Amino acid sequence: LCLSYLATAAAQEPVEPLVDPEAMVILQRAAQHMADAERFSVTIRNGYDAVQANGQKIEFGDQRQVLVNRPSQLRVDVVRSDGKQSTVVFDGKNLTAYDHDNNVYARSAVAGDVDAALRHFVRDLRMRMPLSMLIRRQFPSELERRVRQLDYVEETSLFGVASDHLAARGDDVDFQIWIAQ
């Protein structure tokens, strides 16, 4: 699974629904596979464009090593494109975020599972966790709710693996995803 996304300006008009049904089957199959997995690890190479005040798009990125052991264990190690590193760990009771470069950490008690920890991290603590939706059990239903346009771009090979390349738009985020066949 390889993903690239662009956060669009919030003031844009909502995207009119236009979904390729075959592309949605491919996307939902991958989302359901992720949601059903009890244990998995994945390396995510994340690239995104940040639209500057003058309209210029600047590309940034990071690499995330994600380890999930449902229902109550999560670890995400991040190395940003500028070399900065951070780690987020959920042990079933506490959510801990560690900034390697500044040698500081913060801990917050969280009741519940991995999904609850991710919601708390993003919504309550207002911290960034790009692509956290991929990890949550609600991933398939969130796609149904958020994807307004979806196109099948091409069949391709990514890192030597036959893949389907899809492009999607929502009201706030555009993304491309490559899913191994």
Side-chain angles (χ1 to χ4, degrees):
L1 179 70
C2 183
L3 182 84
S4 171
Y5 71 97
L6 168 65
T8 57
Q12 279 187 328
E13 292 295 317
V15 177
E16 291 297 319
L18 182 60
V19 174
D20 176 336
E22 291 178 27
M24 184 55 86
V25 167
I26 293 166
L27 184 58
Q28 281 292 355
R29 186 177 60 230
Q32 195 61 55
H33 179 74
M34 295 285 291
D36 290 343
E38 292 299 318
R39 286 186 194 100
F40 64 91
S41 67
V42 61
T43 299
I44 299 171
R45 290 185 183 96
N46 176 36
Y48 59 94
D49 292 334
V51 180
Q52 306 301 297
N54 66 1
Q56 182 181 15
K57 295 176 187 171
I58 305 286
E59 184 176 348
F60 295 96
D62 60 45
Q63 182 168 309
R64 297 171 181 272
Q65 179 64 45
V66 179
L67 305 166
V68 175
N69 187 7
R70 296 187 208 275
S72 60
Q73 295 178 327
L74 169 71
R75 180 181 177 112
V76 181
D77 291 298
V78 181
V79 179
R80 294 184 353 189
S81 57
D82 63 4
K84 294 187 178 189
Q85 297 180 26
S86 61
T87 300
V88 174
V89 176
F90 176 60
D91 64 6
K93 296 178 184 173
N94 293 296
L95 181 65
T96 305
Y98 176 63
D99 179 330
H100 297 254
D101 299 299
N102 295 307
N103 198 29
V104 296
Y105 75 95
R107 180 172 287 149
S108 180
V110 178
D113 59 7
V114 168
D115 286 5
L118 288 168
R119 276 191 307 276
H120 178 69
F121 189 82
V122 174
R123 184 184 61 208
D124 301 333
L125 300 178
R126 299 188 184 277
M127 297 193 58
R128 292 185 68 245
M129 177 75 69
L131 309 175
S132 64
M133 189 59 61
L134 294 171
I135 303 166
R136 295 182 52 211
R137 294 253 194 213
Q138 295 84 10
F139 185 34
S141 61
E142 286 295 321
L143 284 173
E144 285 289 336
R145 190 172 69 78
R146 295 178 183 213
V147 171
R148 302 284 184 249
Q149 291 183 354
L150 179 64
D151 293 305
Y152 187 93
V153 177
E154 65 181 345
E155 182 177 329
T156 188
S157 177
L158 188 65
F159 305 112
V161 176
S163 303
D164 294 308
H165 177 189
L166 310 176
R169 299 190 76 194
D171 291 335
D172 299 317
V173 174
D174 294 347
F175 67 91
Q176 295 180 62
I177 188 166
W178 290 259
I179 300 170
Q181 292 178 348

